[in-house]
Amino acid sequence: GAVVSQHPSRVICKSGTSVKIECRSLDFQATTMFWYRQFPKKSLMLMATSNEGSKATYEQGVEKDKFLINHASLTLSTLTVTSAHPEDSSFYICSARVGTPYNSPLHFGNGTRLTVT
Amino acid sequence: QQQVKQSPQSLIVQKGGISIINCAYENTAFDYFPWYQQFPGKGPALLIAIRPDVSEKKEGRFTISFNKSAKQFSLHIMDSQPGDSATYFCAASNQAGTALIFGKGTTLSVSS
């Protein structure tokens, strides 16, 4: 089946530094990828929609200058958390849709646990 | 309007029993309803999905029941097993918004 690979799985960084998270579609091309954030024992909150070759679309309340998204190719989207603070500590998960239709299966990566100290 | 309400928040079922998780939505434009299963420290995995043109879909021990008039859908897990212990999320989307809107999740524990 479709595989979405996310790297790293865990990262610890110091406050004020930046962290880059990669999301790759391994066996399919994804013109659109989605970035979600999940707090412990909570639901998945959509952060932004990443579009290949164009600017990402951010959800209300998500700081686009803090969470930089780049979708440079049909198989890679990156999320960079800039000037990270402890409140940015969370589980970040990317996802990609196999196929164009909106109701095609959406597959998720295994997430990145970010801890900011 | 964009919310998907999920219940219960947690559920304990004995091995072999039936687990039932319910979701309700307001936006009548939603027309794709998947269920995801998530184990701790992992990303969600697609379990089963339904469109509103059918009232029920079954895949193995998992069944989605859909009530369009009530704007409700539910997941039934038959013969629940300890390996089914996980968090389950319902979700919805429509053609206008390509991203999924998730419910708050249900933590299922199946006791052996």
Side-chain angles (χ1 to χ4, degrees):
Chain A
V3 177
V4 175
S5 176
Q6 199 170 331
H7 179 81
S9 58
R10 291 177 178 270
V11 59
I12 301 173
C13 71
K14 291 187 176 180
S15 187
T17 61
S18 296
V19 173
K20 180 184 285 188
I21 302 170
E22 292 187 348
C23 179
R24 294 180 186 274
S25 56
L26 294 186
D27 51 0
F28 65 99
Q29 295 183 330
T31 55
T32 303
M33 291 184 176
F34 304 94
W35 287 94
Y36 287 83
R37 180 174 181 176
Q38 186 177 33
F39 291 101
K41 297 186 179 181
K42 296 291 184 182
S43 188
L44 295 93
M45 301 301 298
L46 179 66
M47 297 177 64
T49 301
S50 171
N51 303 296
E52 188 268 335
S54 64
K55 291 183 179 180
T57 304
Y58 291 82
E59 294 300 300
Q60 190 173 11
V62 178
E63 299 176 59
K64 61 180 181 181
D65 294 331
K66 180 169 189 59
F67 298 100
L68 300 179
I69 292 173
N70 183 278
H71 195 152
S73 77
L74 287 172
T75 59
L76 174 65
S77 175
T78 60
L79 168 67
T80 302
V81 183
T82 62
S83 187
H85 290 282
E87 57 265 31
D88 299 324
S89 298
S90 191
F91 193 52
Y92 293 89
I93 317 175
C94 71
S95 63
R97 178 165 281 121
V98 179
T100 306
Y102 71 99
N103 51 11
S104 298
L106 188 67
H107 294 275
F108 285 82
N110 271 328
T112 297
R113 173 74 59 193
L114 170 63
T115 303
V116 184
T117 61
Chain B
Q1 268 259 329
Q2 283 294 90
Q3 282 187 334
V4 178
K5 296 182 179 180
Q6 184 172 346
S7 63
Q9 187 175 2
S10 62
L11 182 62
I12 300 174
V13 173
Q14 285 199 333
K15 180 181 176 181
I18 302 174
S19 303
I20 302 175
I21 304 170
N22 302 298
C23 281
Y25 62 97
E26 290 293 325
N27 188 347
T28 54
F30 284 148
D31 59 5
Y32 175 63
F33 305 91
W35 284 88
Y36 282 81
Q37 178 189 58
Q38 186 180 30
F39 293 104
K42 300 293 184 182
L46 179 64
L47 203 56
I48 187 172
I50 198 169
R51 300 181 194 184
D53 53 346
V54 296
S55 60
E56 186 176 283
K57 183 174 181 179
K58 183 176 181 180
E59 290 184 4
R61 295 186 294 110
F62 301 94
T63 300
I64 298 180
S65 296
F66 185 81
N67 186 330
K68 187 174 182 178
S69 60
K71 291 183 286 186
Q72 295 175 347
F73 58 110
S74 60
L75 175 69
H76 295 232
I77 305 174
M78 312 300 287
D79 187 26
S80 299
Q81 299 296 313
D84 296 330
S85 298
T87 300
Y88 293 81
F89 293 95
C90 62
S93 69
N94 63 16
Q95 194 166 4
T98 57
L100 286 174
I101 306 299
F102 284 87
K104 290 188 179 298
T106 297
T107 301
L108 170 66
S109 295
V110 180
S111 59
S112 55

